[in-house]
Amino acid sequence: MLSNFCHTIYENLRQHPGQACLVWPQPAGPARPYTGADILARTEAFRRQLTNAQVLPGQAVLIAVPVSVELVAALLGTMAHGAVPVLPPAGAGPLALLGLLRRHSIRQAAVGRALAGRYGWLLRLTGVQPLVPDLSTNPAVDVQPPMAVPPDQPALVSHSSGSTGQSKAIRRSHRVLTAQHEVLKQVFPPWPGQRDFPLFPNVLLHNLAVGAVSILPDVPWGRLADFDAARVARQLHSEGVETLTGNVFYFTHLSAFLRSQNHPLLRVRAVGVGGSPVPEKLLTELQKCFPHATIHGIYGSSEAEPIAVRTAGTSPAPPRNGYYAGPVVAGLECRLRKIGQLQLPNGQAYDVGEILVSGPHVAADNWLATGDFGYFDERQHLWLTGRQGNETLVQGVQHYQVEHVLQHLPGVERVAARAQGSGFAVFVQGRVVEETIRAALEAQFPPGLCRQVHFRAQLPVDARHLSKIRYAALR
């Protein structure tokens, strides 16, 4: 049976041509809304470019357009054309893009005007035709339905954060992308006119499919470290945002600003934090910033979104036990590839191992090995305790447990614990003294578990979320 994930998006946009679907901040002046008709027009314009370039269904097309409505049009246009959009890894430079073109046998690339002007000659020299998405806002004369394709054809190729090494390509088929969309609808039911504030660009596809309004945060895409929390807070107030999602780095800085202003946002109904393990301390802080909202910690990966979802409650989960991820979502099978037993201070022991998942919304032929390690408690809820490449159990403890405890100390900005022999070496970023670090460790863990404490001005993190420690790069 043929299908295309874009069918759902097209149907929603056609049914609500005058409704604002995207609200994009501008360098100067008010934000610009884009209606369903606007998005369809731009999408169809790019589809015509693909037709003129003789792109065939199933063919890969690089999407190297800056985060903008043109990126949305290029992504949707490629998918609707029956071709396969390929998104580059975060922070990829020209050499990385050229390698990507070779690996995927790409002959057409959607690029922004700046990239086309600077590197268009190089693309053509390598046999790649640059395509700049049409900026015209004139309504398309004839909107064609999306091309029907095999459900297992890739709908989107994105890339992992590369926190454990080289970034890897993630291929989500039309079947899997549709299943992920359906799971998100079940876990986070949308409502008519929902005003969402998504930091993750992939949420735009889901919002366009359910009819939610996406208000894009005023952040420097590609340079998230430079985002201005005050500007984002003003947007949240002025745009009447009801739901928002983002990663740990983003919410850590946003919540710090909101608390400093002592001005909680009362209209927000739900907040979702993901992209990396979510500290219990951050969830507690977000409850103060958004007192009428349900605060969710979301565990998942690009191949399986989501895996588990928990709701912050009045009683924080103990950091010594790891990061509480919550119950596994319905319809997903989850098991462990055991490596040993985790020992908790109260004498409880749990089998710990790599987390494997399988199900309709998992982009894998069979079981997906997530690279994350953890255990199930007596309720069969999931806890995260380690990451691939640093998963060694030391005296019944994994590194996430050490890190999570230390993250709750005043002055600690980031912390990493790396297994070394019969103990851990701890790396700390922030204003805290070694005596405080050692006292917290001795109070929570077996004596001598942490042999060394190192202070660093910055700890190495992934380029996309700025939240995942790159353990191999610790020095």
Side-chain angles (χ1 to χ4, degrees), residues 198-204 221 245-247 272-275 465:
L199 181 68
F200 305 129
N202 61 320
V203 177
L204 291 177
W221 300 101
T245 52
N247 60 30
V273 193
H465 294 295

Side-chain angles (χ1 to χ4, degrees), residues 224-351:
L224 183 59
D226 298 330
F227 97 94
D228 184 342
R231 291 173 67 92
V232 171
R234 285 196 293 271
Q235 267 190 291
L236 291 170
H237 283 287
S238 64
E239 294 290 351
V241 169
E242 296 171 303
T243 57
L244 61 160
T245 52
N247 60 30
V248 170
F249 174 87
Y250 171 77
F251 275 122
T252 297
H253 288 78
L254 180 58
S255 67
F257 174 80
L258 292 173
R259 285 182 289 112
S260 72
Q261 300 299 301
N262 193 27
H263 195 170
L265 281 83
L266 305 181
R267 186 167 177 175
V268 174
R269 295 165 57 175
V271 176
V273 193
S276 65
V278 182
E280 204 68 24
K281 177 183 177 181
L282 177 59
L283 296 175
T284 300
E285 291 170 349
L286 290 174
Q287 287 180 304
K288 299 174 184 175
C289 298
F290 307 102
H292 295 169
T294 303
I295 312 297
H296 301 281
I298 304 169
Y299 167 56
S301 67
S302 297
E303 300 99 326
E305 294 180 303
I307 293 173
V309 178
R310 54 81 51 102
T311 301
T314 55
S315 300
R320 170 63 174 79
N321 294 3
Y323 294 97
Y324 175 48
V328 173
V329 298
L332 189 71
E333 293 184 74
C334 186
R335 68 186 188 192
L336 303 178
R337 183 185 289 148
K338 182 181 174 180
I339 63 168
Q341 279 206 320
L342 204 75
Q343 303 290 333
L344 297 185
N346 61 4
Q348 288 179 301
Y350 295 101
D351 289 343

